[in-house]
Amino acid sequence: MREFIDSINPIYTQVAIFVVVAMVLYVTAKRVLNRFYPVLQEQNKWYFTKKIVMNTIYVIIFLIFVFTFSDRFEGFYTTLGLAGAGITFALREVIVSFAGWFAILFGDFFKVGDRVLLGGIKGDVIDLGILRTTLMEIGDWVDGDQYNGRIVRVANSFIFTSPVHNYSANFQFVWDEIHIPIHFGSDTKLVRKLLTDVADEVVGEASTQAKEAWYNMRRQFRLEDATLEHQTFMAFDDNWVEFSLRYVVDIKERRRTRDRLFTRLLEEIEKYPDTIELASETFEIVRGNGVEKS
């Protein structure tokens, strides 16, 4: 038995030890993560923690592999050292993307679930890879802030070269406006009242939530106080009187909120056909010696 053990090539022993240690580390990490899943999921930290733990385990396994078989890679190390400059140049985009991944994880640029604009691509972050960030795209051929079904992967290196627009970090609300054209001679005071009442009904709760979020953000950044209540403004030109309603809305509810506002405003305006008249453009088409109006 002793002779059999001595006759075994040391490389097989090293491989066996490496495989056992790697499996133990991997299985242990998985079990620990699964045990803490309910707590982490409730606090919205599951994805971030899972990424950090599992990537750390992969790095540790790689280091164990290198140290276990280091005596067999002496020639490889020499070649790698001589070719280091060329390899660095060839993999510069990969290296920068890897550095960008660390910057994203620890730099508070954005997290999974945030709505962002990266390199001209707008969408929700659905995955943070080591080299690429994956977005579920919004817009393009689809109107409004809704998914178009296209998944886009952006290299993490953009973090060092391009602006990062985050619509939902720290403050998940944005200011939006709708515009209502009214004929001259309409009851402008009544129009303003209808706009205010409808805004109270549709976006009143969002304004209350936005105030709390703005207060929390002012504790982190130096910000001037902002008006979070909805506001109405009036302007006019040669064609009509235009009312604008400015309000705060959750970034992911923007299109639905606009739909509700326009629906309710139209219902209210139709109750006053004698005092409020919506305006529209009129075109004159000239044909020959006659004039046709449409």
Side-chain angles (χ1 to χ4, degrees):
M1 185 67 178
R2 179 72 179 181
E3 293 178 356
F4 173 75
I5 295 176
D6 292 339
S7 65
I8 297 177
N9 193 320
I11 186 63
Y12 297 134
T13 305
Q14 290 176 317
V15 170
I17 293 174
F18 168 75
V19 171
V20 171
V21 172
M23 290 297 296
V24 168
L25 287 173
Y26 182 83
V27 172
T28 301
K30 282 288 188 180
R31 289 188 175 181
V32 171
L33 285 172
N34 291 335
R35 182 174 183 180
F36 288 96
Y37 173 79
V39 177
L40 295 172
Q41 180 70 10
E42 184 178 350
Q43 298 176 357
N44 294 323
K45 296 180 179 179
W46 164 251
Y47 183 87
F48 178 80
T49 304
K50 178 184 175 183
K51 281 283 186 180
I52 292 296
V53 171
M54 294 312 299
N55 284 312
T56 301
I57 291 298
Y58 296 147
V59 171
I60 292 174
I61 291 174
F62 174 74
L63 292 176
I64 293 174
F65 175 82
V66 171
F67 285 115
T68 302
F69 303 101
S70 59
D71 57 330
R72 301 181 179 275
F73 293 146
E74 292 179 0
F76 173 75
Y77 292 149
T78 302
T79 304
L80 186 62
L82 294 174
I87 292 175
T88 301
F89 178 80
L91 299 179
R92 63 189 184 282
E93 188 68 25
V94 174
I95 295 171
V96 175
S97 293
F98 184 71
W101 176 68
F102 270 98
I104 293 169
L105 288 181
F106 300 104
D108 197 28
F109 287 92
F110 54 81
K111 61 183 183 298
V112 172
D114 283 354
R115 181 156 295 181
V116 297
L117 176 64
L118 309 176
I121 306 298
K122 184 178 180 181
D124 289 347
V125 180
I126 59 175
D127 185 57
L128 291 176
I130 294 179
L131 300 180
R132 296 183 181 275
T133 295
T134 305
L135 304 178
M136 174 62 76
E137 190 181 22
I138 291 171
D140 202 354
W141 66 83
V142 176
D143 293 331
D145 299 330
Q146 293 184 306
Y147 295 145
N148 60 30
R150 186 164 62 185
I151 292 178
V152 182
R153 292 177 174 84
V154 183
N156 292 336
S157 57
F158 74 87
I159 202 75
F160 301 113
T161 58
S162 304
V164 177
H165 302 267
N166 194 328
Y167 296 92
S168 53
N170 302 112
F171 189 69
Q172 64 181 19
F173 299 88
V174 294
W175 279 269
D176 198 13
E177 291 188 1
I178 61 172
H179 306 280
I180 307 293
I182 302 295
H183 264 299
F184 285 104
S186 297
D187 189 340
T188 56
K189 291 184 179 179
L190 178 58
V191 174
R192 190 184 294 271
K193 182 179 183 301
L194 292 179
L195 283 170
T196 302
D197 292 344
V198 169
D200 286 337
E201 174 188 337
V202 176
V203 300
E205 184 178 351
S207 297
T208 303
Q209 297 171 350
K211 290 178 183 178
E212 182 179 352
W214 185 262
Y215 173 77
N216 292 332
M217 193 165 67
R218 289 189 66 187
R219 298 172 62 180
Q220 302 180 47
F221 306 100
R222 188 182 185 280
L223 294 170
E224 298 294 333
D225 198 9
T227 302
L228 298 171
E229 294 84 3
H230 42 268
Q231 299 172 285
T232 58
F233 302 95
M234 181 178 70
F236 63 87
D237 55 23
D238 295 338
N239 298 311
W240 52 61
V241 178
E242 183 177 79
F243 281 88
S244 300
L245 174 64
R246 174 179 167 86
Y247 57 94
V248 174
V249 61
D250 188 306
I251 182 60
K252 297 186 178 181
E253 295 293 327
R254 181 168 167 264
R255 191 177 193 185
R256 280 189 288 266
T257 300
R258 288 173 68 91
D259 175 73
R260 291 173 59 198
L261 284 170
F262 277 119
T263 300
R264 290 290 296 117
L265 282 171
L266 190 59
E267 291 173 352
E268 292 299 318
I269 289 174
E270 287 177 345
K271 295 178 181 178
Y272 305 92
D274 298 329
T275 55
I276 301 176
E277 185 179 359
L278 292 174
S280 61
E281 288 186 296
T282 300
F283 298 94
E284 292 187 355
I285 303 175
V286 180
R287 293 181 179 176
N289 296 325
V291 177
E292 296 184 8
K293 292 187 177 181
S294 60

